[in-house]
Structure formats: C-alpha cells, structure tokens
C-alpha cells in the first residue's frame, strides 16, 4: 500500500532565512542527506536535495519562479512545514 504524497511550498526560493529555518528543522529531526543536484536551464535555476527522515525520503527543491518546496509522505512534510512555521515565528 502506497502512502499519500504531498508537496508544500514553504516560500520564496531566495529567502535565506527560510532556508536556514528548514535546515534547523531537518537537523532537529536527524535528517540524513542522500542526494543533491543543481542545474540551470535558460533563466531557471534548480537545486534538489533528498534527505532521509527515518524510513521516509523527503525531497527539497528550490526552483526559480516556483519557490522552496518539500515533497514526500503527506504527514511527514506537513510536520516539517509546521515546524518551519514555528521556527519562523520564534525568530521574529
């Protein structure tokens, strides 16, 4: 049985503070880096990072005009997004 997948847009791809908050949340959750790639196509730049959280894989993408997104098992990406928002709120 396959688990429901979800993608959440966290915000702008160039928001360094948001990227740092996501990094902190991933470290707190003991994420392990699996793969990373970067590329440019025309005017678009894309960066993809895949991490393992427990038994689940989460994909983080930063893409021009799209933003910073996280994709993976629905409940896990919702949990990460919630923790990023909490982290964002505590940094103000």
């Amino acid at each position: 049985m396959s688990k429901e997948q979800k993608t959440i847009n966290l915000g702008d791809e160039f928001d360094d503070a948001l990227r740092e908050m996501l990094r902190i949340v991933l470290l707190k959750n003991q994420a392990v880096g699996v793969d990373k790639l970067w590329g440019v196509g025309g005017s678009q730049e894309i960066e993809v990072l895949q991490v393992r959280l427990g038994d689940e894989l989460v994909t983080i993408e930063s893409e021009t005009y799209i933003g910073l997104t996280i994709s993976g098992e629905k409940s896990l990406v919702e949990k990460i997004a919630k923790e990023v928002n909490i982290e964002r709120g505590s940094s103000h």
Side-chain angles (χ1 to χ4, degrees), residues 24-87:
I24 289 167
V25 167
L26 291 172
L27 286 173
K28 284 181 180 177
N29 284 281
Q30 300 175 345
V32 177
V34 175
D35 196 16
K36 183 175 183 172
L37 72 93
W38 176 87
V40 175
S43 64
Q44 286 192 257
E45 180 179 338
I46 186 166
E47 181 180 2
V48 180
L49 175 65
Q50 203 169 46
V51 298
R52 181 172 299 284
L53 288 154
D55 293 334
E56 298 293 333
L57 284 177
V58 173
T59 302
I60 298 129
E61 292 186 45
S62 171
E63 187 171 354
T64 307
Y65 309 119
I66 293 175
L68 184 63
T69 61
I70 56 172
S71 303
E73 192 276 319
K74 182 180 182 214
S75 64
L76 181 57
V77 296
E78 287 175 346
K79 174 184 179 289
I80 292 168
K82 182 178 178 183
E83 290 179 19
V84 168
N85 285 329
I86 290 169
E87 194 70 37

Side-chain angles (χ1 to χ4, degrees), residues 9-28:
N9 189 314
L10 297 174
D12 294 329
E13 71 274 11
F14 51 79
D15 186 340
D16 289 335
L18 176 60
R19 285 172 171 259
E20 179 61 15
M21 287 173 224
L22 177 58
R23 188 184 73 78
I24 289 167
V25 167
L26 291 172
L27 286 173
K28 284 181 180 177

